[in-house]
Every structure is written in structure tokens, then in C-alpha cells.
Amino acid sequence: MSKIGSFADHRAPLLAGTVASITGTAASLGIALSALTGLGATKTQTTSAVVASTVLFGLLSILLSHRYKMPISVVWSTPGAALLISSGAMGFPFSTAVGAFLVSGLLLLLTGLWPALGRAVASIPKPIASAMLAGVIFNFCVASFKTVATFPLIVLPALLVWLVLYKLATVWATPAAMLIIFSLTAINLGITVPADQLAPTIELVTPTFDLAAILGIGIPLYLVTMASQNIPGIAIMKSFGYEIPFRPVMISTGLATLINNFFGGIPLNLAAITAALNANEHAHKNPARRWLASVWGGYVYFVIAALAGAAAVFVIQAPRDLILAAAGIALIGTIVSSLSSAMEDTTLRIPAMITFLVGASGVSVFDIGSAFWALIAGLLVWAWLSLKSP
């Protein structure tokens, strides 16, 4: 009887951790792969970035959850990856993009060491930060519907599956749509992955630094990671009664990000939406036992890392329009959330809309991308409208 009870005690967190890791990765992998390949990463570098990232997800999720007995889930910055898709048009070498990633990692580490920086980021109005993200991913969400004209038998079924499951089982909507679009792409276009390219690979990337890349990629990447992942992640965990230890978590994710960067990976951060899967009552009736879900989810990430080679090879072979369409479908939920946040405060709607329009314009000045200028424009308009009339 005790063995049965023990199994029942672990079954719920095991299932929750597995679902959270698989759905979270499936929903964001296409976005991350599209971002990396768009920035000029080779197949080996793309595989390396995914392998290093998922291994670090697993290690941090296991160690932090076990240490603090909380369901702490660590993932990559999906909104950050979405922002990076637009950065490929800036034409920087991948090593320069990695240099910008490194700056983001240093800022994340500094946020843990110097909490005032975190408070400064939190002081940026959420509508403006959300509008920046919505602006830079807007054209990629539109790309999903444009691609219907070119590949109707691939994209339409994926959109229909997403819509049906969004109503019936929301958490599975994006992963199922990704499975449909990639499966139909492989079948209709005859894409295969050679057996000798299945093995995951690791490659070090030597970063190079460019001020325009730091301002156009690194700074916006840090701000989006904080505003769209870490801060909401902390808030979501608080809603379930968990007070995340801010300083050690930020230092840990900052250091892990720096390690990840040298393998081509993007910033790591607290999970936001998928964090709820490991923190709610479905993970365990006893809140003190829910940390087991994140620990198990960490081991699932190790399995995902072993499959990274096949995913990278597939994405490189597939037509870029289809990869962008897949990313666009995966980003529908993100743009809905971002636009809702951007418009929620009536006093900030004008600054938020200016931010959105500048971001969506794709404007580049001094080789610095639209994400940076969108943020600057929004903050300037906010400051102007906040001035008291004489």
C-alpha cells in the first residue's frame, strides 16, 4: 500500500513536469531555431545553441527547485527569440550577435548582484515594453497568413488545429500546430534528416562586439527578457504562494546565460506561462511537494537536448517562409498578450501605440534595429505627455 501511495505521490508531478517541458519547448523551438538561422548560425552552431540551452534548463531547474523546494522552471527567452527573428535583417555576423547576447547575460547577472537595476527595468511602463515586443513580432505573425497563399496544404491545417485546440485544450494548441506544420512540410516537400546528422553537436563561438549590435540586439534582448519573462514569472509564482529568491535566481540564470552564450545560446530566464503548469494544484495537491514537477521537467530537458541535432537539420532544409509561418503561429498567443498589455492603461495608450508602430516599421538608424528605437520613441512620448502644463 505504501508503494502505491508513493507512486501516486509522484505521478502528478511527473506528469506535470513532462507536459510543461515538452509543451514549452515545442511551442518555442521553432521560434528559437528561426532566430538562430536568421542570424547566420550554421547547422552545427544552431544545434550547439539548442543542446547547451536545454541542458542548462535541466540543470538549473533541478538544482534551484531542489535547493529552495519550489517549482522553479528555467527556460530560454521566447519573447527574446521572437525579437531576434527581426534582428537577422540587420546583417551582423553570428559572432557579433553572440557578443550582443553576452551583454544581455552580463546585465542579467548584474541585475542579481545589483537589484537597483532590476527595479529600474521594472519602472519602465509595462505597456511600452509590451508594445515594443508586439511591434517587432508583428510582421512574423502576419507572415503565417501570407504563407497560406504559397503553402495552403501545410499552413492551413496547422492554423485550424491551433484554433480548435486553443478552445478545447489551450496548452496543447501551439505544440500540436508545430507538429502538424513540420510533419506536413517533411511529407509534402520530401525533407529527411540523414542518420549521420542526428547526433547533437557542440561548438564554441568566439563573440565579437559591435556597438550597433549591442544597442539594437543586446539591450532590447535584456529588457524583453526581464519585462516579458522574469518579472511575470516572479508574479505568476507569487500568485501560487511562492516567493522566488530573486538574487540567487538572477545570479544563477545570469551566469548560465554567459556560459550558454559561448555555445551560441540566447538568454535563460524564469518560465512565465509554463511555470503555472508546475506550480498549480495539478502538479501536486500539497504545494510543498510541487517542486518535484520542476525537477522531473529538468530531466525531460536532457532528453530534448539529445534530439536537437535532428531539429536543427530539419529547420535548415525547410523553406524559410514555412519556418517563419511556424514561428508566427507560435507567436499568436504572445502578440495577443502583448497588445492586451500595451492597451490596458488608457493613460499610456499613445506612447504604447507609438512604440508599437516604430517597432513594426522595421526602421534601422545607424545600423541599430527598430526594437531600440521603438523603446526610445515610446519613452520620449511618455515623458512628454507626462509633463505638467505651465
Side-chain angles (χ1 to χ4, degrees):
M1 192 73 177
S2 60
K3 289 183 178 180
I4 296 175
S6 177
F7 174 74
D9 188 57
H10 288 82
R11 182 176 56 191
L14 186 151
L15 179 60
T18 300
V19 170
S21 295
I22 291 177
T23 57
T25 306
S28 61
L29 186 59
I31 301 170
L33 290 172
S34 180
L36 292 166
T37 54
L39 287 167
T42 64
K43 178 187 76 68
T44 304
Q45 289 170 335
T46 302
T47 304
S48 175
V50 176
V51 171
S53 297
T54 46
V55 167
L56 287 168
F57 296 169
L59 285 175
L60 286 184
S61 296
I62 292 168
L63 294 175
L64 290 173
S65 297
H66 188 274
R67 168 66 179 81
Y68 295 103
K69 297 298 185 290
M70 297 181 192
I72 300 174
S73 302
V74 175
V75 295
W76 50 26
S77 176
T78 302
L83 182 148
L84 292 175
I85 294 177
S86 66
S87 300
M90 297 169 69
F92 294 113
F94 185 59
S95 60
T96 302
V98 170
F101 298 171
L102 200 65
V103 172
S104 295
L106 288 170
L107 289 172
L108 289 170
L109 176 60
L110 185 59
T111 302
L113 296 173
W114 185 36
L117 180 58
R119 290 193 292 271
V121 173
S123 70
I124 295 174
K126 184 181 177 183
I128 291 178
S130 297
M132 177 185 72
L133 178 59
V136 297
I137 69 174
F138 172 76
N139 289 313
F140 301 99
C141 293
V142 171
S144 299
F145 300 93
K146 286 184 177 180
T147 310
V148 169
T150 312
F151 298 102
L153 297 179
I154 296 176
V155 181
L156 267 180
L159 284 168
L160 290 173
V161 166
W162 183 91
L163 186 60
V164 170
L165 288 180
Y166 188 82
K167 179 177 181 179
L168 301 177
T170 305
V171 72
W172 292 105
T174 298
M178 296 302 98
L179 178 62
I180 293 295
I181 199 168
F182 289 138
S183 298
L184 291 178
T185 297
I187 293 169
N188 290 357
L189 303 182
I191 296 176
T192 58
V193 179
D196 61 350
Q197 296 185 34
L198 289 174
T201 55
I202 287 290
E203 179 179 313
L204 286 171
V205 179
T206 302
T208 56
F209 298 93
D210 182 284
L211 181 59
I214 290 171
L215 293 176
I217 299 176
I219 303 300
L221 184 57
Y222 164 71
L223 293 175
V224 165
T225 299
M226 287 297 299
S228 298
Q229 288 281 172
N230 283 328
I231 293 173
I234 290 171
I236 287 171
M237 292 296 286
K238 185 175 290 186
S239 72
F240 287 102
Y242 299 102
E243 291 289 340
I244 293 293
F246 182 82
R247 181 181 173 88
V249 167
M250 289 304 304
I251 291 174
S252 299
T253 54
L255 287 172
T257 292
L258 293 177
I259 295 170
N260 199 32
N261 294 154
F262 285 101
F263 295 100
I266 63 177
L268 306 185
N269 45 247
L270 287 169
I273 302 302
T274 54
L277 297 175
N278 290 331
N280 66 27
E281 63 182 11
H282 297 293
H284 204 287
K285 292 182 179 179
N286 182 359
R289 301 289 289 168
R290 292 174 191 169
W291 63 274
L292 293 170
S294 292
V295 169
W296 176 254
Y299 289 112
V300 173
Y301 283 129
F302 296 154
V303 177
I304 293 172
L307 305 174
V313 172
F314 178 87
V315 166
I316 288 172
Q317 290 188 71
R320 179 150 178 81
D321 284 350
L322 281 174
I323 298 303
L324 290 178
I329 293 172
L331 289 170
I332 292 174
T334 301
I335 197 168
V336 169
S337 175
S338 297
L339 287 173
S340 297
S341 297
M343 296 293 109
E344 67 183 3
D345 188 337
T346 56
T347 64
L348 287 168
R349 282 181 179 172
I350 294 299
M353 182 53 68
I354 296 296
T355 303
F356 170 77
L357 292 173
V358 174
S361 74
V363 64
S364 176
V365 181
F366 305 122
D367 291 327
I368 300 171
S370 62
F372 177 80
W373 298 117
L375 184 66
I376 295 299
L379 291 175
L380 287 175
V381 172
W382 174 50
W384 166 250
L385 295 179
S386 298
L387 286 176
K388 294 182 178 180
S389 300

